[in-house]
Amino acid sequence: MAVEKYITKSAVIIDGKEKVTEYDELKLGKIEIKAKDLNKATVKLTYKINITNIGEVPGTIENVIDYLAKDMVFDEDLNKGWYLTEDGKVYNDTLKDTSIEPGEMKSLEIVLEKKMTEDNTGVISNKVEITKLKNKEGAEESNVKDNIDTQEMIITVKTGETFKLVAFITIIIVGAVLVMNGKNLGLRKVYK
């Protein structure tokens, strides 16, 4: 069995307005938020988790575990089949009794939120793991590295807008100064 985790959608919510971006199963994504909006923004991330039987015999998994990244919040109302435990991990056991055939893939979705502050931008590494793999033949899992995967989102302060505004204002001021100096030079020539 192998697990893969992707980002499929992000929403930045500011003052009740939601800006949604959809992705085609990204391993690394990026969100930019204006500095003035950072303290009032909430980011909602939708992840897709694919569990694929890459072996040669049918098998089952007992749990899918999502390890909440720092400052991430889990809401049961947004996540059917998932539940938060006292250890701070989020579990899904809806595939517990489901046989996954060789080459077959099963998918789950989980939505997590993060209330933004000036101090919590950066990389969100969200890890997922599948546990207690079984099959009728008693075959051993050949590559346990495939049982864990991480998706990363980068949340940064949006730059460029301020720079464009400053550059535009600077060009206007420099242009005005040049025009004024040109007029003054022209007047001096007339009077000399």
Side-chain angles (χ1 to χ4, degrees), residues 9-165:
K9 183 166 61 170
S10 68
V12 178
I13 305 156
I14 301 168
D15 295 331
K17 294 179 182 172
E18 194 169 352
K19 180 185 175 199
V20 176
T21 304
E22 300 211 13
Y23 310 99
D24 188 22
E25 296 186 359
L26 291 181
K27 292 299 293 169
L28 175 65
K30 183 178 179 184
I31 297 172
E32 293 181 326
I33 302 172
K34 292 179 185 176
K36 67 177 184 149
D37 294 332
L38 209 51
N39 286 328
K40 53 187 174 180
T42 298
V43 174
K44 186 188 297 184
L45 302 173
T46 303
Y47 297 97
K48 183 177 182 183
I49 299 165
N50 293 334
I51 298 106
T52 306
N53 185 340
I54 57 174
E56 297 174 9
V57 294
T60 61
I61 58 170
E62 188 166 311
N63 283 311
V64 178
I65 304 170
D66 190 274
Y67 295 87
L68 288 177
K70 184 179 181 215
D71 297 330
M72 295 300 284
V73 176
F74 169 77
D75 182 347
E76 261 186 60
D77 293 336
L78 298 175
N79 295 287
K80 275 192 161 185
W82 292 91
Y83 56 94
L84 181 65
T85 59
E86 290 180 17
D87 62 4
K89 297 172 191 164
V90 182
Y91 288 81
N92 184 308
D93 57 10
T94 57
L95 298 175
K96 185 176 182 178
D97 296 322
T98 303
S99 178
I100 303 173
E101 298 296 317
E104 184 180 14
M105 179 177 64
K106 301 287 184 183
S107 296
L108 300 172
E109 183 178 276
I110 186 168
V111 179
L112 303 173
E113 295 180 326
K114 181 174 184 173
K115 174 72 178 117
M116 298 306 301
T117 69
E118 292 175 1
D119 301 321
N120 69 357
T121 58
V123 178
I124 300 172
S125 291
N126 196 268
K127 184 170 88 171
V128 67
E129 180 179 14
I130 52 177
T131 63
K132 299 183 182 173
L133 288 67
K134 298 177 192 170
N135 59 67
K136 290 179 185 174
E137 284 76 16
E140 301 238 347
E141 179 71 12
S142 61
N143 191 353
V144 293
K145 291 183 208 171
D146 291 339
N147 298 347
I148 297 175
D149 195 33
T150 302
Q151 191 286 331
E152 295 184 331
M153 272 311 270
I154 302 168
I155 300 178
T156 63
V157 177
K158 188 172 188 175
T159 58
E161 297 297 320
T162 304
F163 176 77
K164 289 176 191 174
L165 180 61

